[in-house]
Structure formats: C-alpha cells, structure tokens
Amino acid sequence: MSAPPDKPVDTSLQTPIDQPHTPKVSEREARQVAEAAREQAWRKPSFAKELFLGRFRLDLIHPHPMPSGEATRRGEEFLSKLRDFCETKIDGALIEREARIPDEVINGLKELGALGMKTDPKYGGLGLTQVYYNKALALVGSANPAIGALLSAHQSIGVPQPLKQFGTQEQKDKFLPRLATSAISAFLLTEPDVGSDPARLATTAVPDGDSYILDGVKLWTTNGVVADLLVVMARVPKSEGHKGGITAFVVEAASEGITVENRNAFMGLRGLENGVTRFHRVRVPAENRIGAEGAGLKIALTTLNTGRLSLPAMCVGSGKWCLKIAREWSAAREQWGRPVAKHEAVGAKISFIAATTFALEAVVDLSSQMADEDRNDIRIEAALAKLYGSEMGWLMADELVQIRGGRGFETAESLAARGERAVPAEQMLRDMRINRIFEGSTEIMHLLIAREAVDAHLAVAGDIIDPDKPFSAKAKAGANAAAFYARWLPKLVTGPGHLPRTYAEFHPAGHPDLAAHLRYVERNARKLARSTFYAMSRWQGRMETKQGFLGRIVDIGAELFAMSAACVRAEHMRLAGEHGREAYQLADVFCHQSRIRVEELFTRLWSNTDDLDRKVVNGVLSGTYTWLEEGVIDPSGEGPWIADATPGPATRANVHRPIH
C-alpha cells in the first residue's frame, strides 16, 4: 500500500540540524583541518606502512621484541597484586545491578597505584611498560569492563598522556603526582553536534589577560562525572597576539562555571561514569594550556596513537574469557549423545574464538612492545589493532552467546535465580558493542588508516588531483610521480613470496607450515599495493569518496598484519619453550581462517554493490521508500535529534561527584 499523495515526507535526514553556535565549514575546510592535525612526517620505520606499500618487512617485527627483565619483574609483581584485588574486592554483578562502581573499589585501585600505571615513578607512578599496562587493563576489564574503561580513559587519553608528551616541566610537576595517586581525569573533545569532524568544534576559549574563558558543552565525557582534572579541547578565536585554533587545556573539574548536567546511561558498561559537561565562563590559567594555540587536535591524535592500544587489550581479555566459557560449557552440554563441542557447527565457532584470541593477543603484544622500544612508528599498527580488536572482539562475544543458546541470551542474575551458573554472556555482548565506536568508530578508523596507507602516493602525486593547484605544480607532480612509479611498480610483480624455501625457519620439523602463510602475506601485500595504485589511477580525486573500497583495503591490511603477528608470536613461543607446538597450531588455524577472509575482501574490491547502494541511499533520503516504513509503530520519544548545546549558564543540577 503506497502513501497517500498528501502525506508529508519526513525530510529530517536531508537537512542539517541547525546549531547556530557551531562553526559552519565546508567539506573541503573540514578535510584541511583534519589533514593539518595529522602527523605527516615518518621519522621511523613502520611495518604496517611498508605492508600497504607492498613491502613485507618481516625484519621489523622478527625476532619478536621483548621487555627487559626489570620491566617484566615490576609488571608481574603489579599484576599479582591486581589479580588478588580483582578476585577479592570487585563484584562485577553488583556493578551491573547498581550501574555504578563502588567508591571503595575506586579508592582501592588508587591505593594499588592503578591510576599511575604508566606514570614515571619520579612522579609517584608505577612506570609500567605499555605491554604490562595492557595486560593490567585486560585483567581488570575481565572483572568488570566499566573499571577497565575508567582506568583506560584516565591514562590512555586523559590528562596524563598528553602532559607526558607535550606538557611543560612545570605542568608535569604540578599535575602528574596527583594523577598518579588520587586524581581521576577525563578527555573532553566530542560535542552534541561534533563527533569525528573537529573543524566544527563550538566550545570556545577566549583569551582574557593571563587566562582563557571557556564556554561550551561537551558530550560523552567518559570519567567526566567523577573526574578531578579534565583535558579540554576548545577553539581559541584568532586575534592580535593569538594564533587561535583548536587548543588543549588542563582544567580543574571543580572550577566555577562547570556543571555536569547528566550522567549518561548505555546498553552496556553500566558502571561507566560518562556525562554531559557544560562550561560557562570558566576561567582557566594560560599556564594550563598544553602546547601552543592551535595544536590541540594534533595533541589529541598523537595521544591516541598509542592510547588506542588499551581498547584491543581489553578485547583480548574478553576473548580469553569467551574461550574459557565456550570450553567449559561445550564439554558439559550434550545434544544427540555428544558434547556440543563435538558437533562441527559449534566446533567451528570454538576454533574461531581460540585462533582469533591468539592472533589478537599477538597483535596487541607486538604493537605494545614496539611502542615501548620506540624504534618504530606504530601509528598504523595501533590503529589496526583497535580496528581489528573491536571487530573481532564483538564477533567472539556474539559467537559465545550463540554457543550458549538460550542461556546466552538470559541474564546472569536470572540464571543464578533458577540454580545455574551465573554466566554474563549477554552482558559481555552489550559491553563489547561500544568498542566499535569508542576512540574512533570502525568507519572513521577505515578512513584514518586508509589516509596513512595512501600517504606515499599523495606525497608524489597529490598535486595532480588537487583542483586548487596550478598547472606548473601539476606538471612537476606528474614528473615526480612518473619517477616514483617507475621504481616502485616493477617491485610489485614478484618477490620472496614466490620462492618455496623463503621464511624456512617458520616451518620447523613436526610443526605446521607457517612459512607458507608468511609467503602468502608477502604476495598479497604486493597485490594490495597494486590494487591501491590501480584504484588511484582509476578514480584519482574521487578516491576519497570510495569509502567502501578503502575500508576493504584497510581490512585486508589488518588481516595480513594479524597473520604476521600470529606467526611471529608462535615462533617466539616455540623458541622460548612456552607451548610452542600449540601456538603453531593456533597460528596455523588462524592464518587459514584469515586467508579465506582476505580472498573474499579482494573479490569485493571490484565486485560489490557500492554504486547500487549509493542509489538506494539517495532514494531513502529523498523519501522514495517511505511506503516501506509503514505498518509499524515508532516507540521513539519526542525531542530533537541533537540536543541544543548553546553556550550559557547551566539550568540543571550538577551531578558531578568526585571520589575522595
């Protein structure tokens, strides 16, 4: 039945939400802001960058880098204390029921030194390596993911990390001792109408003598409800003596004019202290500015380079738990005379969880150790780890729910009430879902990594497709590109991956042949680079609009990186005498599973429905298919799609509750 002719068409998705206080910027201006904030120089080698260029630099990750003996001793000592605390002091079910982490738990973590895991001991911190920091997050996150999120938001993206990288000595001396022992911090960038498009940032910081006056509203401020210190991104207007631009500030959460207007509630992470924070004429001393005016976005993105590793670390912890529950349940549950694990349909899911957990831990540990050694640029590796971990973590949690069947959908409290083991599988699924959005959604990560993956091409040929460049610049770029591709393209034809004895050390006697998988990675890295070059030649300036293609390019790179990490980890474990045979088996299975995904992705590069999808989207937005929406009731409430965030005094009660 079609809609009557006089039925109005809902055009809400066609018209941007009017937020008069938000800067109006064009698509090109938004890209320019993002590009200016991107770290453009490559001063150190990058395994992943080389991979996207068709160069398989196994020497950059093999032999597997290792932490020092002292770092291991300190890390293991803290993990032992943290495990005891998690087992005796954290009641995950209580946090889930009450949607709040008890103050005594947070204070107990403070006493353990958990707020200062990555902070130098000279400031009162523990000085753990990235490797052990991630292991700690995986451990505490398995006890309750909201606690993992609190500690991660505080240290991975909160005040300590940008201060360590960009703060003055005075700022470090003033704030780091507090942050390492007692003060919880939060990172405030997102606004009601500004997500991954920082060019439209509306919060302002107006210079006023030796201070700045902050006005604006920040959304989804993880830790913001309980934070003592905030790192706030605000726009400084350009004026005489002020360069202006997006700028980072350390702000005392108890400052006059700051109001936490709402504690947000979510489908998962119910203990998360995430809110809406309003700034009304908040005075911040100029000495609290981190870096120069206009450097805020670069500081934020640089902070995230290694900060992103905390999220996949917690996904590793989730994978380990999923494997444990799948093993125990599938051995106990029988159907048709056999344990369900023995049925191929269920067994395949268990194999996927086991192999993927092994590979994901390999990716995270390898990237973390490279971050600790600081000899490689890991911005792409960390981004790939976040992307891959969040996607695979979600799939593993979903498969666990499927393996558990109706019990997977039932809450732990309900299971316990009727006398069964309280397995919070459905909670795990809800908690894991946010990881595909946190710290850069999957779609944004695809674009971010794709930009880095094509950086070498844009460096030599970017001016050719830039409409603002004069003919002389295009001609020069054409000459440079011709020289670059004359050297580069012939190297993509053949390589070590075609030689049957390459990487022979990865095929020791009596073990699966991981060398064959590494040869596959080498061959397909070159194929990936050829595909990227062909796409740039075909679409040129329109390449940035081909987000489906770019996403698949990145996903292939992620699989190749994970295969490489899994093989290197297996060989390392074999040489160290740590379950080497079993590690080889897991790496072999993972690589076989990954190769199937890679082949499908390569096929979908050129055989897909992208153009057809675009036509349907245009039809949806124009109201062509509104008849398809009929026959249902919309349970949504009234109200605007995006809340008004006009700067001004607060009209709601302050729900800020610092924990002391």
Side-chain angles (χ1 to χ4, degrees):
M1 179 178 176
S2 60
D6 58 346
K7 182 177 180 179
V9 173
D10 181 1
T11 59
S12 60
L13 292 180
Q14 303 173 51
T15 307
I17 305 298
D18 184 23
Q19 296 276 359
H21 57 279
T22 302
K24 306 300 181 185
V25 296
S26 67
E27 183 179 356
R28 183 171 182 80
E29 289 171 332
R31 289 199 304 270
Q32 288 173 340
V33 169
E35 183 66 17
R38 189 179 69 86
E39 189 177 353
Q40 300 183 20
W42 290 89
R43 301 180 181 87
K44 299 173 184 175
S46 165
F47 174 80
K49 176 176 180 288
E50 294 292 305
L51 194 69
F52 280 108
L53 284 171
R55 299 190 284 252
F56 181 49
R57 291 286 308 278
L58 185 61
D59 61 294
L60 293 177
I61 61 173
H62 174 66
H64 195 293
M66 287 296 295
S68 68
E70 174 59 19
T72 300
R73 185 195 64 77
R74 286 189 289 111
E76 292 294 338
E77 182 180 298
F78 176 71
L79 285 182
S80 178
K81 295 178 182 177
L82 183 62
R83 173 175 288 277
D84 180 69
F85 182 86
C86 290
E87 291 176 341
T88 60
K89 304 297 183 183
I90 296 178
D91 184 344
L94 175 69
I95 295 171
E96 179 71 3
R97 283 196 307 272
E98 299 187 353
R100 177 163 293 176
I101 304 168
D103 289 3
E104 56 267 26
V105 171
I106 296 178
N107 285 326
L109 290 168
K110 290 180 180 181
E111 292 173 8
L112 273 181
L115 293 188
M117 286 187 281
K118 290 183 67 181
T119 303
D120 194 299
K122 70 181 178 182
Y123 299 113
L126 299 179
L128 298 186
T129 62
Q130 184 73 37
V131 169
Y132 275 97
Y133 170 67
N134 286 343
K135 290 181 182 297
L137 289 179
L139 177 61
V140 75
S142 66
N144 183 264
I147 298 178
L150 182 146
L151 294 175
S152 172
H154 166 66
Q155 292 170 92
S156 299
I157 58 175
V159 179
Q161 193 64 27
L163 275 191
K164 284 186 285 185
Q165 292 184 267
F166 300 98
T168 64
Q169 189 58 52
E170 291 75 15
Q171 290 172 334
K172 295 175 183 177
D173 292 338
K174 179 179 180 181
F175 294 116
L176 288 182
R178 285 176 60 192
L179 292 162
T181 56
S182 61
I184 297 172
S185 70
F187 173 76
L188 279 63
L189 171 63
T190 304
E191 298 175 359
D193 197 30
V194 180
S196 298
D197 182 8
R200 301 173 62 248
L201 200 74
T203 298
T204 58
V206 179
D208 183 39
D210 59 356
S211 301
Y212 291 84
I213 306 299
L214 265 62
D215 280 282
V217 178
K218 294 293 186 180
L219 176 64
W220 296 325
T221 60
T222 297
N223 289 359
V225 179
V226 297
D228 303 286
L229 288 167
L230 316 171
V231 56
V232 181
M233 298 294 163
R235 183 185 303 280
V236 177
K238 188 175 183 180
S239 61
E240 184 177 352
H242 292 276
K243 176 185 177 182
I246 299 173
T247 306
F249 299 90
V250 178
V251 182
E252 295 279 357
S255 299
E256 183 178 354
I258 297 181
T259 305
V260 179
E261 295 189 324
N262 194 64
R263 182 181 186 268
N264 303 323
F266 304 97
M267 67 181 285
L269 294 183
R270 289 180 175 170
L272 196 67
E273 298 291 353
N274 179 294
V276 177
T277 303
R278 178 178 293 272
F279 298 86
H280 176 58
R281 300 197 58 76
V282 177
R283 183 171 294 275
V284 180
E287 65 191 33
N288 283 20
R289 188 188 71 218
I290 307 175
E293 288 183 358
L297 193 56
K298 184 182 288 290
I299 289 172
L301 293 179
T302 304
T303 297
L304 281 171
N305 279 344
T306 55
R308 284 196 174 98
L309 288 173
S310 62
L311 192 150
M314 287 185 281
C315 291
V316 170
S318 299
K320 289 174 178 288
W321 182 79
C322 287
L323 180 60
K324 178 180 185 294
I325 298 301
R327 172 179 58 82
E328 294 178 351
W329 165 250
S330 298
R333 173 66 163 168
E334 289 191 1
Q335 289 285 277
W336 297 295
R338 306 168 67 190
V340 293
K342 296 293 186 178
H343 293 284
E344 191 172 87
V346 176
K349 299 179 186 302
I350 298 173
S351 174
F352 166 75
I353 293 173
T356 304
T357 298
F358 176 82
L360 186 53
E361 186 170 38
V363 166
V364 172
D365 279 3
L366 178 62
S367 300
S368 300
Q369 187 57 43
M370 289 195 292
D372 286 330
E373 293 188 351
D374 199 28
R375 59 184 172 88
N376 286 359
D377 187 323
I378 66 154
R379 74 182 85 160
I380 300 182
E381 286 85 346
L384 287 172
K386 189 275 174 189
L387 170 69
Y388 199 71
S390 59
E391 290 295 320
M392 289 302 188
W394 163 256
L395 288 176
M396 288 190 288
D398 187 54
E399 292 289 40
L400 176 64
V401 168
Q402 191 70 19
I403 291 170
R404 288 274 290 161
R407 290 172 172 84
F409 193 66
E410 190 174 1
T411 67
E413 188 174 26
S414 176
L415 288 164
R418 59 183 186 78
E420 292 194 359
R421 184 176 299 185
V423 178
E426 61 83 29
Q427 180 191 336
M428 168 68 74
L429 193 63
R430 289 187 286 103
D431 289 340
M432 290 292 287
R433 185 59 181 84
I434 187 58
N435 294 332
R436 299 177 63 211
I437 301 171
F438 259 170
E439 298 180 22
S441 69
T442 291
E443 293 72 26
I444 291 299
M445 296 307 297
H446 276 150
L447 298 181
L448 184 152
I449 299 168
R451 174 61 187 86
E452 300 294 356
V454 301
D455 184 55
H457 301 281
L458 293 179
V460 298
D463 286 355
I464 298 176
I465 59 178
D466 189 336
D468 293 339
K469 294 295 182 180
F471 177 78
S472 59
K474 292 179 182 292
K476 182 178 179 181
N480 291 338
F484 172 79
Y485 290 120
R487 296 190 304 270
W488 179 67
L489 286 172
K491 298 178 182 178
L492 301 182
V493 177
T494 188
H498 286 105
L499 303 177
R501 294 299 299 163
T502 310
Y503 316 122
E505 69 268 31
F506 286 86
H507 189 194
H511 289 69
D513 186 3
L514 299 188
H517 296 308
L518 292 177
R519 292 194 294 272
Y520 177 88
V521 172
E522 195 279 335
R523 294 194 304 273
N524 282 276
R526 287 185 282 108
K527 182 178 179 180
L528 183 64
R530 293 195 302 268
S531 300
T532 305
F533 170 74
Y534 175 68
M536 290 199 66
S537 303
R538 176 179 176 181
W539 292 313
Q540 298 186 28
R542 293 185 295 125
M543 180 76 162
E544 64 185 21
T545 68
K546 302 296 182 179
Q547 295 181 1
F549 177 90
L550 292 173
R552 294 175 199 113
I553 286 287
V554 169
D555 286 340
I556 293 170
E559 293 285 0
L560 298 180
F561 177 39
M563 290 175 68
S564 304
C567 291
V568 168
R569 182 179 182 84
E571 173 62 2
H572 165 71
M573 292 179 69
R574 184 186 72 84
L575 293 176
E578 300 174 350
H579 307 290
R581 187 175 301 279
E582 296 83 359
Y584 255 70
Q585 291 172 346
L586 288 170
D588 181 50
V589 171
F590 172 78
C591 288
H592 278 293
Q593 295 172 354
S594 181
R595 285 167 76 152
I596 293 172
R597 294 190 291 266
V598 168
E599 294 302 319
E600 180 184 356
L601 286 164
F602 268 122
T603 298
R604 291 176 56 210
L605 284 180
W606 312 110
S607 179
N608 53 64
T609 61
D610 292 350
D611 292 339
L612 293 174
D613 294 341
R614 196 173 299 112
K615 292 178 181 178
V616 171
V617 169
N618 291 335
V620 169
L621 295 182
S622 66
T624 301
Y625 309 118
T626 53
W627 52 268
L628 190 58
E629 302 167 7
E630 294 181 359
V632 298
I633 301 298
D634 182 356
S636 306
E638 299 294 327
W641 287 106
I642 298 174
D644 179 47
T646 302
T651 59
R652 304 178 65 178
N654 189 0
V655 298
H656 182 231
R657 58 173 200 93
I659 298 169
H660 299 299

